[in-house]
Amino acid sequence: METQIRRLDYDRIDEQIIEEAGSIIRKGGLVAFPTETVYGLGGDALNPESSKKIYAAKGRPSDNPLIVHIAEKKDLYRIAREVSEKAEKLMEAFWPGPLTMIFYKKELVPEATTGGLDTVAVRMPSDRIAAAFIRAAGGFVAAPSANVSGRPSTTTAAHVEEDLSGRIEMILDGGQAVIGLESTIVDMTVDPPVILRPGYVTKEKMEEQIGPLEVDKAIIAPDSGVKPKAPGMKYRHYAPRADLTIVEGPTEAVIEEISRRVEEDQKAGKKAGILATDETAGRYPEWLVLSLGQRKHEEEIAMHLFDALRQFDETDVDCIYSESFEEASIGPAIMNRLLKAAGHKVIYV
Ligand code: TXA
Ligand code: MG
């Protein structure tokens, strides 16, 4: 199949293109679309055949449920049962936006979309192209991140093309995704609610609204043997082709350790790449150094992370060393993705 790519301008969203994309979904086809977090691979959430096509296009195991995207808050009540007061408060504070909530599902949502679970993950994106597209598609769009299973999520239409060209009908190009990390996921079927995936909406910001939250133990201690509640979190993810190792410690010690290892690798005939920041990039020997942005601007780091991981795949490096990032604010979300990409290989200095 030939994948059509349609560029859209946020200042003047072309209604005709949106209608064309919506009609592909209504007929059971697939369209990748921009959101504020990452690009999504969309299909009709209420059509089991569409969900099956999504799994096939991504090469994703079908026990890994999809997020249902909506464009109107009221549509939540058509697919979710038992929407608690806390869920309503979070919805008021963070929707539309990068927050996904899990509820018991209603009949309307097929099990093909929820990976056989009796719960459904729901998100209302703030991206205006996404919202217009969801409306045109009939209101309920199932969408995982628009990458081939196991690869880093996609933050530009070019990334999507790289992974899914020829497998889907259309890509809506809205430029670079502004957040660059997937949404925060919170399980609202339990009290206190539990964070299953950290994201841009932090624990602290949610606690200001609804009081204490818990964090899925599988996120905190990944090798604890605890089975994560978000099925997708158990799969190896985001991994670049080269072997990635995180080096954590005081900045000076990290620079020294990475430089030493890169030289050692070179002697052993291996090429290394470095994932650094604007503040430190110039301090490394002349190797392939990619900067994620200014260390003090976590949002910049988040926005560039997946792109950098993909850039290394275009090179012939055998291994990659990455600096580590703060655990404050969106730091846990950044580190969660980086740790998964590294298969949890960390060197402490
Ligand atoms: O920002 C995002 O959330 C992006 C954009 C496109 O909206 N989507 C995204 O989808 O990251 P995906 O499929 O790559 O990740 C969704 C995660 C998976 O780990 C999945 O297992 C989990 O959400 N999930 C979905 N439904 C669930 C449910 N009912 N219960 C527990 N976890 C669920
Ligand atoms: Mg994903």
Side-chain angles (χ1 to χ4, degrees):
M1 133 186 2
E2 197 185 331
T3 303
Q4 303 175 57
I5 299 167
R6 295 275 192 277
R7 172 81 209 184
L8 284 163
D9 180 352
Y10 283 91
D11 292 331
R12 215 168 1 102
I13 298 175
D14 187 328
E15 281 304 323
Q16 210 175 320
I17 295 175
I18 294 291
E19 175 44 37
E20 214 183 317
S23 116
I24 292 172
I25 299 291
R26 296 195 307 270
K27 288 184 195 140
L30 304 181
V31 176
F33 62 102
T35 84
E36 67 279 19
T37 57
V38 298
Y39 274 70
L41 166 54
D44 181 354
L46 307 185
N47 178 351
E49 295 312 314
S50 298
S51 294
K52 286 181 196 154
K53 280 191 196 167
I54 292 176
Y55 289 112
K58 261 188 86 100
R60 173 171 180 156
S62 59
D63 68 340
N64 189 359
L66 308 173
I67 296 175
V68 178
H69 295 68
I70 58 175
E72 315 287 343
K73 287 180 187 163
K74 66 173 170 28
D75 283 344
L76 170 66
Y77 302 92
R78 290 184 55 199
I79 53 173
R81 291 189 278 129
E82 299 175 31
V83 178
S84 66
E85 210 172 298
K86 286 185 182 177
E88 274 169 352
K89 279 191 182 155
L90 290 182
M91 181 160 96
E92 277 318 305
F94 302 109
W95 276 10
L99 174 68
T100 296
M101 288 191 273
I102 292 173
F103 303 96
Y104 287 108
K105 76 173 190 73
K106 283 191 174 167
E107 286 283 312
L108 189 61
V109 188
E111 287 199 349
T113 300
T114 63
L117 299 177
D118 63 346
T119 55
V120 60
V122 189
R123 165 159 128 75
M124 179 176 169
S126 61
D127 184 281
R128 288 183 297 110
I129 292 173
F133 163 65
I134 294 164
R135 284 193 193 99
F140 302 93
V141 173
S145 48
N147 52 280
V148 162
S149 193
R151 290 208 77 200
S153 300
T154 48
T155 53
T156 66
H159 294 163
V160 181
E161 207 185 334
E162 212 172 271
D163 277 23
L164 298 173
S165 188
R167 303 191 195 190
I168 61 179
E169 275 81 359
M170 184 180 275
I171 300 171
L172 295 177
D173 180 355
Q176 157 91 46
V178 291
I179 293 177
L181 298 179
E182 309 86 343
S183 61
T184 306
I185 303 180
V186 188
D187 183 0
M188 302 306 297
T189 66
V190 288
D191 195 30
V194 179
I195 299 176
L196 305 186
R197 178 172 74 185
Y200 185 81
V201 176
T202 62
K203 181 167 187 272
E204 294 69 32
K205 280 195 260 173
M206 290 188 283
E207 286 184 335
E208 280 171 24
Q209 303 294 328
I210 60 165
L213 283 172
E214 281 176 11
V215 179
D216 190 4
K217 295 214 172 42
I219 299 176
I220 309 169
D223 36 16
S224 63
V226 180
K227 186 168 169 276
K229 266 203 83 181
M233 302 293 279
K234 71 173 181 265
Y235 295 107
R236 183 164 157 82
H237 226 140
Y238 314 126
R241 196 178 38 73
D243 205 36
L244 172 66
T245 306
I246 301 168
V247 181
E248 186 166 326
T251 307
E252 288 305 314
V254 167
I255 295 174
E256 215 170 284
E257 179 67 15
I258 292 181
S259 305
R260 193 181 64 74
R261 282 176 177 266
V262 166
E263 267 164 42
E264 244 172 42
D265 286 341
Q266 201 214 11
K267 281 186 204 139
K270 282 196 289 181
K271 262 195 209 165
I274 302 170
L275 209 48
T277 50
D278 287 357
E279 290 88 337
T280 58
R283 304 275 312 278
Y284 292 103
E286 288 291 306
W287 302 101
L288 180 64
V289 184
L290 292 184
S291 174
L292 292 172
Q294 293 182 57
R295 178 165 280 281
K296 59 174 187 277
H297 290 154
E298 282 186 315
E299 303 192 348
E300 249 181 73
I301 307 275
M303 189 166 117
H304 296 134
L305 179 62
F306 289 140
D307 182 61
L309 291 175
R310 279 176 177 267
Q311 277 188 49
F312 279 118
D313 281 352
E314 312 270 288
T315 70
D316 59 351
V317 295
D318 304 295
C319 49
I320 305 164
Y321 296 99
S322 175
E323 296 177 3
S324 177
F325 299 92
E326 296 296 322
E327 282 289 325
S329 180
I330 59 169
I334 298 171
M335 285 310 292
N336 170 262
R337 308 314 189 270
L338 199 54
L339 280 161
K340 293 196 92 187
H344 292 278
K345 273 196 303 305
V346 186
I347 295 167
Y348 297 93
V349 291

